[in-house]
Amino acid sequence: MLSRSSACRGAQRAVCQAVRPVQRRGLAAPASGSFHYQSGESKGIKYASRDFAGPTTTLALVSKAGSRYQPLPGLSEALANYAFRSTARRSTLRIIRESELLGAELKAFHTRENLILEAKFLRDDLPYFVELLGEVASSTKFEHHVYLEEVLPLIHFAHQRFLANPTDMAINSAHALAFHKGLGNPTASSSSIPYTKYLNPPVIEGFSKTAFAKSNFAVVANGADHGELSKWVSEFFNDVPAGGVEQLPGSEQTKYHGGEERIAHASGNAMVLAFPGSSSFTGKFYKPEIAVLASLLGGRSSIKWSSGFTILGQSKASPSTSVNTTSAIYSDAGLLYTTITGSAENVAATAKAAVEAIKKIAAGEISKEQFTKAKAAAKFKELEYGQNIEAGLELTGAGLVHGSKPYQIDEVAKAIDGVTEEKLKSAAKSLLESKASVSAVGDLWVLPYAEDLGLKA
Amino acid sequence: MSAPSLAATVSRRPWLKKLFTPLANWYVNAAGYRQLGLRADDLLPEENDVVQLALKRLPPKEAYDRVFRMRRAFQCSMSHTLLPKEEWTKDEEDTPYLSQIIQQIEAEMKEREDLEAMVVTRRKAAQ
């Protein structure tokens, strides 16, 4: 016989079970709440944040001032190297020591489209670092001796590192072929003459006035309360230049050109086969099938002790040849490129295999299983990338500055779910029809021409 | 290595400044460096790290002019002559072009020492 209390408990349990299915979600569906950025605007400054539970915060200032938008070569790089140096109120040393005492990490770097100042710190220190970023943006002193003693040597090092790396050279050369100016600008100084010719502190200071103008950057935080962030942003970013007068070069719609470049290099072989790709999700030319195509071509295995399911992973000429397919997304254009490095003979053979793989996909000769795997891999990569705090910050900031729309990772994952085999096939076909950008760096005697590979260039 | 000086203290007090100006003018003239075309900052001892760094930070034109003035002064000194009167350093030309940079470097070094000697106290728990 049931006692009264146990019957009651049973009823409670039944109620619980009836409620639970509503909260349950499939394993593949992302926990949308934590991925979403809340965005806002105060006094003309855009900001976004997501309250990621945890004791640390990552704060970034994302400015539309990457190498694409620089009016003279090397300016983005120089401005990134001037970040966190003496400001009107504090010296370089004081900034460093204070940040060290708070246990923080400071970083400044630039990508093709964005200049990013980043600080990672303990959650309680948010006001200090919002103030610091505001100060760096508005009142950095562009002193001549700092340029000579600290900034210029860093640019020289970056230049030397760039020249010693055939892969970087090939990727930069492929971008230059594909987009000419703008997105095609090299990210590091590629020849020693231009940067000493065009750079000096007053010019860099002039560029900082447009780079850190109110309409040109966004403040993005990960792991900060939205209310707190908006309060401090409206307090500490009052001195940044209003701007909005000068239109930065490179803002016009990117046009794809294509072509071929061959550079002799003694210390390695690299080949990049690049095709027009997809813009960022926040841009106008978003094509999710390109991401699936990139993971289907692939080349790098994500599983230990296996060459992976990707077509290029299986058909590369030797295990020591490194192949990777990337779908580089920018605000209004993209580049799908396969990078091949290794010994010259193997690079040549793998490049041929890559073109054949694209032809095979265009003809629809891939199994259902491979397609499913590629879709799953592409979706995983997107979601993982979204969880990766730094990438998320940059994409969100860029989305805010370019299109006033933060990058919402869940919707990207949904878009990838919607890719069909038919779409993938037509995307591969369009790659073969368009003019490719082919760049070969290394032993030019062995590395093939685009025409030998069967590409239009 | 800026030379120790009471100049700031004196020039802050108008009556003292009025008193000292003729004396200062007489002294500068008697020191004789202006008759060789030099400036006061050319006479600072440069055999130490601070001034060496300051000299590196001089703009190229200033550095060139400094060397030119020194060579001209050596020449005059060896031939036991003075420059013609119109080439003497004028009062408005005798600017502290180097001491400013030296003071800046000294401030940087002092800040570093202060930070090095700093006593860190633990922050109170969040209220």
Side-chain angles (χ1 to χ4, degrees):
Chain A
M1 189 177 164
L2 287 167
S3 75
R4 199 169 181 182
S5 63
S6 71
C8 226
R9 215 176 293 142
Q12 275 175 348
R13 205 175 296 143
V15 169
C16 277
Q17 274 165 355
V19 171
R20 204 173 293 144
V22 183
Q23 296 169 334
R24 190 187 295 156
R25 58 188 171 81
L27 281 175
S32 62
S34 59
F35 271 150
H36 265 280
Y37 277 93
Q38 273 180 292
S39 58
E41 191 170 335
S42 94
K43 299 182 192 166
I45 290 157
K46 299 179 209 77
Y47 58 88
S49 74
R50 66 175 174 185
D51 201 351
F52 212 60
T56 62
T57 303
T58 312
L59 180 73
L61 187 154
V62 182
S63 159
K64 199 173 117 185
S67 49
R68 172 180 180 173
Y69 300 106
Q70 60 191 12
L72 291 170
L75 273 183
S76 301
E77 204 181 347
L79 190 56
N81 287 331
Y82 252 120
F84 301 116
R85 301 218 185 268
S86 301
T87 66
R89 289 175 49 206
R90 279 183 274 200
S91 67
T92 313
L93 186 72
R94 186 163 284 276
I95 291 175
I96 294 171
R97 291 294 169 92
E98 286 179 351
S99 310
E100 275 177 351
L101 280 175
L102 296 174
E105 234 176 73
L106 299 177
K107 216 156 69 170
F109 58 99
H110 76 105
T111 58
R112 260 171 221 287
E113 291 198 309
N114 302 306
L115 174 72
I116 298 144
L117 312 180
E118 195 189 270
K120 288 191 222 167
F121 47 85
L122 297 173
R123 202 174 249 266
D124 295 342
D125 303 327
L126 182 69
Y128 175 84
F129 287 96
V130 176
E131 186 184 10
L132 177 63
L133 287 191
E135 222 179 287
V136 170
S138 59
S139 59
T140 298
K141 285 195 280 183
F142 290 87
E143 289 164 317
H144 196 81
H145 69 267
V146 173
Y147 174 69
L148 291 178
E149 289 169 19
E150 293 162 51
V151 174
L152 205 52
L154 287 175
I155 297 178
H156 279 296
F157 286 139
H159 170 64
Q160 279 165 358
R161 194 172 56 216
F162 175 75
L163 287 186
N165 189 341
T167 316
D168 269 3
M169 279 178 93
I171 291 173
N172 266 307
S173 132
H175 274 88
L177 289 169
F179 303 122
H180 290 189
K181 290 270 172 154
L183 275 177
N185 289 345
T187 47
S189 311
S190 46
S191 105
S192 59
I193 311 149
Y195 60 77
T196 42
K197 185 171 152 197
Y198 295 112
L199 288 184
N200 62 51
V203 171
I204 302 169
E205 184 169 8
F207 181 55
S208 86
K209 294 278 176 280
T210 47
F212 297 129
K214 265 182 189 172
S215 56
N216 205 43
F217 70 84
V219 182
V220 191
N222 198 329
D225 182 55
H226 194 68
E228 287 272 297
L229 180 72
S230 64
K231 182 177 139 205
W232 297 123
V233 166
S234 61
E235 188 170 335
F236 291 126
F237 276 89
N238 291 327
D239 298 336
V240 294
V245 196
E246 210 179 323
Q247 182 75 1
L248 286 167
S251 309
E252 63 277 3
Q253 171 62 41
T254 303
K255 196 168 158 282
Y256 180 86
H257 298 273
E260 183 175 15
E261 186 171 37
R262 293 162 68 76
I263 304 165
H265 202 286
S267 71
N269 301 284
M271 203 157 173
V272 170
L273 314 176
F275 305 94
S278 147
S279 77
S280 150
F281 178 70
T282 48
K284 273 181 278 177
F285 303 93
Y286 179 60
K287 285 177 269 179
E289 56 270 23
I290 295 287
V292 179
L293 189 55
S295 74
L296 182 58
L297 283 172
R300 194 166 287 171
S301 173
S302 50
I303 315 278
K304 209 77 185 141
W305 318 128
S306 142
S307 55
F309 75 92
T310 59
I311 301 182
L312 288 180
Q314 286 170 355
S315 62
K316 64 184 181 184
S318 84
S320 63
T321 314
S322 142
V323 192
N324 195 19
T325 309
T326 315
S327 161
I329 52 173
Y330 304 109
S331 62
D332 63 349
L335 198 66
L336 172 74
Y337 62 87
T338 302
T339 319
I340 310 166
T341 47
S343 72
E345 286 80 11
N346 289 335
V347 169
T350 312
K352 282 202 183 74
V355 177
E356 265 153 37
I358 298 171
K359 280 183 183 153
K360 229 165 82 180
I361 298 169
E365 292 166 19
I366 52 156
S367 66
K368 183 102 191 143
E369 193 193 337
Q370 267 175 319
F371 175 69
T372 319
K373 279 179 182 172
K375 226 162 94 169
K379 190 172 158 187
F380 173 76
K381 253 188 227 164
E382 279 296 342
L383 290 175
E384 195 220 8
Y385 196 61
Q387 272 189 323
N388 174 348
I389 291 168
E390 278 170 32
L393 285 181
E394 189 196 338
L395 285 173
T396 305
L400 276 181
V401 178
H402 290 280
S404 309
K405 182 165 108 180
Y407 191 83
Q408 302 297 18
I409 209 83
D410 313 8
E411 291 162 39
V412 179
K414 246 178 254 164
I416 288 178
D417 272 339
V419 176
T420 59
E421 268 178 86
E422 216 30 61
K423 267 191 191 164
L424 186 72
K425 220 168 106 177
S426 67
K429 230 176 243 164
S430 74
L431 292 195
L432 291 172
E433 279 156 16
S434 62
K435 213 171 150 197
S437 312
V438 178
S439 168
V441 178
D443 185 354
L444 297 184
W445 180 255
V446 182
L447 295 179
Y449 282 87
E451 211 184 304
D452 303 339
L453 294 172
L455 290 172
K456 283 187 204 165
Chain B
M1 274 296 159
S2 47
S5 149
L6 291 173
T9 330
V10 171
S11 61
R12 232 179 290 133
R13 294 168 178 77
W15 61 275
L16 210 55
K17 192 179 176 188
K18 217 167 151 190
L19 195 72
F20 269 95
T21 308
L23 190 68
N25 284 342
W26 168 80
Y27 175 76
V28 162
N29 195 40
Y33 66 86
R34 284 189 178 178
Q35 283 83 331
L36 294 173
L38 290 170
R39 296 180 185 181
D41 273 7
D42 294 340
L43 308 180
L44 293 175
E46 60 177 71
E47 290 84 5
N48 61 66
D49 292 345
V50 178
V51 181
Q52 284 302 315
L53 186 61
L55 287 176
K56 261 188 213 149
R57 287 188 184 178
L58 275 182
K61 174 84 169 77
E62 293 263 18
Y64 179 89
D65 285 354
R66 176 185 157 89
V67 173
F68 170 76
R69 287 193 301 270
M70 286 186 163
R71 296 190 66 164
R72 190 173 55 178
F74 283 139
Q75 203 60 39
C76 289
S77 170
M78 283 204 294
S79 57
H80 290 273
T81 52
L82 295 180
L83 285 176
K85 196 156 187 188
E86 64 274 13
E87 286 181 38
W88 291 6
T89 307
K90 290 173 200 72
D91 201 26
E92 66 274 12
E93 282 172 0
D94 200 356
T95 49
Y97 69 99
L98 193 60
S99 352
Q100 277 173 353
I101 304 177
I102 292 174
Q103 276 154 17
Q104 198 186 329
I105 294 171
E106 278 173 344
E108 277 172 28
M109 290 170 77
K110 185 173 179 304
E111 188 182 28
R112 181 176 288 271
E113 273 158 27
D114 289 351
L115 285 169
E116 226 97 279
M118 176 177 55
V119 179
V120 182
T121 50
R122 180 178 285 276
R123 184 168 25 179
K124 287 192 195 87
Q127 51 278 15

